[in-house]
Amino acid sequence: MSKDIREGSKAALPIVLGYLPVGMAYGVLARAAGLSTLEATGMSVFVFAGASQFIAVSMLGAGAAAFPVILTTFIVNSRHVLMTSALARYFKGLPVGKIIPLSGQVTDESFAVAMADVSLVTGRPNYLMALQMTAYGSWVSGSIIGALFGSIIDSSSYGIPFAMTALFICLLVMQIRNRVHVIVAVTAGVLALGLQGILPNNLHLIIAATGAAGTGLWLTLRRETMNGVWSESNKE
């Protein structure tokens, strides 16, 4: 096993710890929504998008038709275009044949871990692929376990409906390293909660994400400008 694969797999361990229980929760909810063990597992194998899968089984459980489910999951997953675009600049010159599988395995969690220290992923596709495939394996494994035992577990118990939210909270805490990160997180939370119930079609989430990202960009540029002014004044 190469160094890149070994280190990438190791970097995925925090995700594995989250994906296993959340994948099990998904499996339980999928069975409660009427999916068979094979169908629940197949969705994890071919879709591999936790938030979208939770939404899909919720819609299927409510009796939604196939087209609205596919369209909704497509829209929810469209955010991955932004994530892969952000990662692409660290793999300049990589053949398209390697870019495509790398892009196809990106999730919120693997993206967060990769972007936490871009020096570890820059020019190292095997590192990123190992990180993503380790996470993928744990998600599928958790889904299988949940689907197998889903028929004997109460899907509303053990905090199962809160599992995905809890995973995102853990990932957020891992990313907070300075005051700017705290302000960005608080901005996102305030906007999301403040606009919830006011805007239709979950637009509050898009505005919260955009507003928080804009706030983070403005604070970062302002800090860099102030540091530049400070350096110039010291030279004088």
Side-chain angles (χ1 to χ4, degrees):
M1 181 183 294
S2 72
K3 179 182 177 183
D4 286 359
I5 294 176
R6 186 170 61 253
E7 291 184 355
S9 300
K10 184 178 179 181
L13 290 181
I15 302 177
V16 172
L17 295 177
Y19 271 9
L20 279 173
V22 176
M24 293 169 62
Y26 155 74
V28 172
L29 291 174
R31 291 301 305 276
L35 273 67
S36 66
T37 299
L38 185 60
E39 291 169 337
T41 302
M43 186 182 289
S44 286
V45 171
F46 296 109
V47 178
F48 185 38
S52 297
Q53 289 182 229
F54 274 89
I55 293 172
V57 296
S58 174
M59 294 179 70
L60 290 171
F67 180 72
V69 175
I70 294 173
L71 180 62
T72 301
T73 53
F74 175 78
I75 294 173
V76 171
N77 281 341
S78 62
R79 70 191 186 284
H80 291 159
V81 174
L82 299 177
M83 297 180 190
T84 52
S85 298
L87 282 170
R89 59 178 171 164
Y90 302 109
F91 297 97
K92 291 180 179 178
L94 196 68
V96 175
K98 291 187 177 179
I99 286 288
I100 292 176
L102 274 180
S103 303
Q105 294 296 325
V106 169
T107 64
D108 301 274
E109 295 76 17
S110 62
F111 175 78
V113 171
M115 295 301 288
D117 188 351
V118 294
S119 66
L120 294 175
V121 299
T122 303
R124 301 175 72 190
N126 289 337
Y127 175 94
L128 182 59
M129 181 55 76
L131 188 160
Q132 294 174 336
M133 291 308 296
T134 303
Y136 175 75
S138 64
W139 175 256
V140 174
S141 299
S143 300
I144 293 173
I145 296 171
L148 286 173
F149 296 98
S151 60
I152 60 174
I153 299 175
D154 182 0
S155 60
S156 62
S157 62
Y158 305 109
I160 290 176
F162 189 69
M164 177 59 76
T165 304
L167 175 59
F168 278 110
I169 291 174
C170 292
L171 290 170
L172 171 64
V173 171
M174 288 172 56
Q175 304 307 313
I176 294 178
R177 298 180 178 178
N178 55 47
R179 189 167 56 182
V180 173
H181 293 168
V182 174
I183 294 173
V184 170
V186 171
T187 300
V190 170
L191 286 175
L193 293 175
L195 297 175
Q196 186 180 24
I198 298 176
L199 301 176
N201 302 322
N202 290 328
L203 285 176
H204 63 288
L205 296 177
I206 297 175
I207 292 177
T210 305
T215 301
L217 177 62
W218 178 74
L219 289 173
T220 302
L221 293 176
R222 181 171 177 270
R223 183 173 59 184
E224 291 177 352
T225 301
M226 293 181 67
N227 289 339
V229 171
W230 176 258
S231 299
E232 289 297 327
S233 61
N234 281 343
K235 290 179 181 178
E236 296 173 357

